[in-house]
Amino acid sequence: MEIKKEIRLKESIKGQTANYKNFPMVPRVIYGRGSFDQLGALLMPIRKNADAPCIFLVDDIFEGTPLADRIPLIFNDQVIFISAEEEPKTVQVDVLVANIKNGFTELPSAIIGIGGGTLLDLSKAVSIMLTNIGSASEYQGWDLVQQAAVYHLGIPTISGTGAEVSRTAVLLGPDKKLGINSDHTVFDQVLLDPELTKGVSKEQWFYTGMDCFIHCIESLEGTYLNAFSQTYGEKALDLCKEVFLGNLSPLESREKLMMASWHGGMSIAYSQVGVAHALSYGLSYLLGVKHGIGNCLVFEHLQEFYPEGVMLFNKMKQRHGIELPQGICADLTEDDFDIMIKVALGMGPLWENALGKEWRKTITPQKLRSIYQKI
Ligand code: NAD
Ligand code: ZN
């Protein structure tokens, strides 16, 4: 009897441990106003030699600004300014990697991404593809990366996506929008300086901030929720409420949204996002709608899934006088709707998190079409 019990126990432990993710976290973080000025010192021990440069991938919004002048360049370091107008693409990663390999005799000592989710994801992907053969599109998926990436350091300049903590680099590929999800994707170092998010427009602040808010709602309302995700999600949600509905000073607001982004990212790392993200992926794939605004466009129509979240969202929208564009899907063809629905339905884990294992019983193509038609 005792032996049988022990075997059962062992089996159940074995069964359980096999399902738990062993999630990698960012090993080093610097946080604080003006911490950007420590970047030079941070990179010094990482530098391999004078021929192995630090490559800075920087949002081109900063070209010609004082921030660009503060980038600590030595030896043959290079700054590459990149537009964040469009979401990052696998071909863009391939071109950047080829140029870096052709331009230098040695692999870079470090890739440093400075910008929003777009630049952070590009930097993660470039650092991976410098050491892995083929095209970035071959690594879109889960745990396909074989070789450790070049050291990469992320510096967010807008808060909300959680890309600074996540193990994914979301890319638009030739046939899908999907992340390079791997342990090698995670930044080796992150620098959080709330001063850097100063220049963000109100609309963009709201869209990217709402990405964080929606991460919290989808994680906290999901079936994958556990104490790990809940603690981070609840903290991030409280911070979002303070930022978007409270009366904080601009500095406090920037500081707290930066931390909300971090905690929101940590929350979904160990659970999953949900309905808004699944539908937003469809919009983004077909129409190139960017992640933050795409989530907002979808979320306001998700009352039946997230009643309290949508109520709060509307309050925040009103408080900040945000007018979302209307009629985005008004002129779409049958084929267009089918493409978006296919992309959204392909996000199985997101639906399962939102609605449980039986999600297919309620989430039909007709159902998704009726939501898209409202956007
Ligand atoms: P973004 O990087 O796309 O930038 C949005 C806009 O803000 C751009 O015009 C940019 O130039 C501008 N901007 C950035 N910093 C600024 C500043 N300090 N001052 C003025 N303007 C500034 O924004 P985002 O919303 O952070 O990122 C969206 C991207 O992140 C999408 O590609 C999405 O797929 C990705 N994403 C990734 C993850 C992840 O875990 N890897 C999670 C969510 C979203
Ligand atoms: Zn998101």
Side-chain angles (χ1 to χ4, degrees):
M1 279 298 274
E2 273 307 299
I3 291 174
K4 261 193 183 164
K5 204 169 134 196
E6 198 182 304
I7 289 172
R8 262 209 313 274
L9 189 68
K10 270 189 184 154
E11 275 173 357
S12 75
I13 291 171
K14 211 169 90 196
Q16 280 178 13
T17 40
N19 293 329
Y20 292 132
K21 283 189 261 183
N22 189 5
F23 176 72
M25 289 165 58
V26 174
R28 301 192 85 100
V29 191
I30 287 198
Y31 168 81
R33 288 171 67 193
S35 58
F36 188 80
D37 290 330
Q38 281 176 246
L39 184 54
L42 268 182
L43 291 172
M44 205 46 90
I46 303 303
R47 294 179 179 277
K48 288 187 247 164
N49 59 59
D51 293 322
C54 288
I55 309 272
F56 299 81
L57 306 184
V58 185
D59 188 321
D60 69 0
I61 199 121
F62 295 112
E63 196 163 2
T65 66
L67 183 76
D69 293 336
R70 288 164 64 204
I71 296 174
L73 300 176
I74 54 171
F75 306 133
N76 56 355
D77 287 354
Q78 195 182 6
V79 177
I80 305 176
F81 288 107
I82 298 172
S83 166
E85 281 316 301
E86 291 185 2
E87 300 218 319
K89 298 182 179 54
T90 53
V91 282
Q92 194 181 4
V93 174
D94 295 344
V95 169
L96 280 165
V97 168
N99 288 346
I100 293 170
K101 281 187 171 166
N102 290 335
F104 299 93
T105 50
E106 294 210 16
L107 273 182
S109 296
I111 300 292
I112 300 99
I114 304 179
T118 301
L119 266 293
L120 297 182
D121 281 356
L122 268 176
S123 321
K124 291 174 176 181
V126 165
S127 69
I128 287 170
M129 293 314 301
L130 281 165
T131 53
N132 287 273
I133 51 167
S135 160
S137 61
E138 293 165 43
Y139 297 87
Q140 286 179 285
W142 281 267
D143 302 306
L144 303 172
V145 178
Q146 302 295 324
Q147 304 295 330
V150 165
Y151 174 96
H152 46 302
L153 189 158
I155 307 181
T157 64
I158 180 169
S159 300
T161 64
E164 64 278 18
V165 286
S166 74
R167 80 189 279 280
T168 187
V170 185
L171 299 174
L172 198 60
D175 52 15
K176 53 185 178 278
K177 182 181 170 186
L178 186 63
I180 300 181
N181 298 269
S182 86
D183 287 355
H184 303 297
T185 312
V186 180
F187 282 116
D188 295 291
Q189 167 88 52
V190 168
L191 187 154
L192 301 174
D193 182 347
E195 290 291 312
L196 302 184
T197 63
K198 245 180 188 166
V200 178
S201 73
K202 184 181 79 174
E203 280 71 22
Q204 191 60 56
W205 165 78
F206 186 82
Y207 301 149
T208 302
M210 284 302 108
D211 189 22
C212 175
F213 171 72
I214 295 169
H215 291 162
C216 299
I217 300 294
E218 292 185 324
S219 174
L220 292 171
E221 299 290 322
T223 63
Y224 290 3
L225 190 66
N226 51 71
F228 185 101
S229 290
Q230 189 176 359
T231 21
Y232 284 108
E234 283 174 351
K235 187 68 213 172
L237 182 59
D238 285 346
L239 289 168
C240 284
K241 286 181 190 164
E242 280 191 73
V243 168
F244 291 100
L245 294 172
N247 290 303
L248 301 177
S249 71
L251 170 64
E252 273 182 315
S253 170
R254 285 198 304 276
E255 289 181 339
K256 292 198 171 188
L257 191 53
M258 193 159 253
M259 291 324 297
S261 174
W262 182 276
H263 285 73
M266 286 299 297
S267 182
I268 52 174
Y270 220 83
S271 60
Q272 188 44 279
V273 284
V275 181
H277 276 75
L279 289 165
S280 165
Y281 265 82
L283 272 185
S284 167
Y285 184 78
L286 181 78
L287 303 170
V289 175
K290 294 200 73 182
H291 188 79
I293 189 171
N295 284 349
C296 291
L297 288 168
V298 172
F299 197 71
E300 61 174 353
H301 301 293
L302 299 185
Q303 207 145 5
E304 67 176 286
F305 302 102
Y306 307 116
E308 208 182 318
V310 174
M311 189 265 293
L312 272 174
F313 174 81
N314 286 333
K315 242 186 182 173
M316 293 169 173
K317 201 168 66 125
Q318 205 175 2
R319 168 84 180 260
H320 298 286
I322 301 290
E323 303 266 351
L324 289 174
Q326 304 288 322
I328 303 286
C329 297
D331 299 324
L332 296 185
T333 64
E334 289 294 317
D335 285 352
D336 290 338
F337 278 110
D338 287 346
I339 291 169
M340 290 199 297
I341 290 166
K342 191 169 166 227
V343 171
L345 283 177
M347 301 286 154
L350 282 65
W351 293 109
E352 187 178 304
N353 174 45
L355 302 164
K357 288 202 185 307
E358 304 293 313
W359 63 270
R360 283 187 186 80
K361 287 188 179 156
T362 41
I363 299 305
T364 59
Q366 293 77 359
K367 175 81 195 166
L368 298 195
R369 198 195 155 103
S370 73
I371 300 174
Y372 277 131
Q373 275 171 331
K374 293 183 195 156
I375 296 172

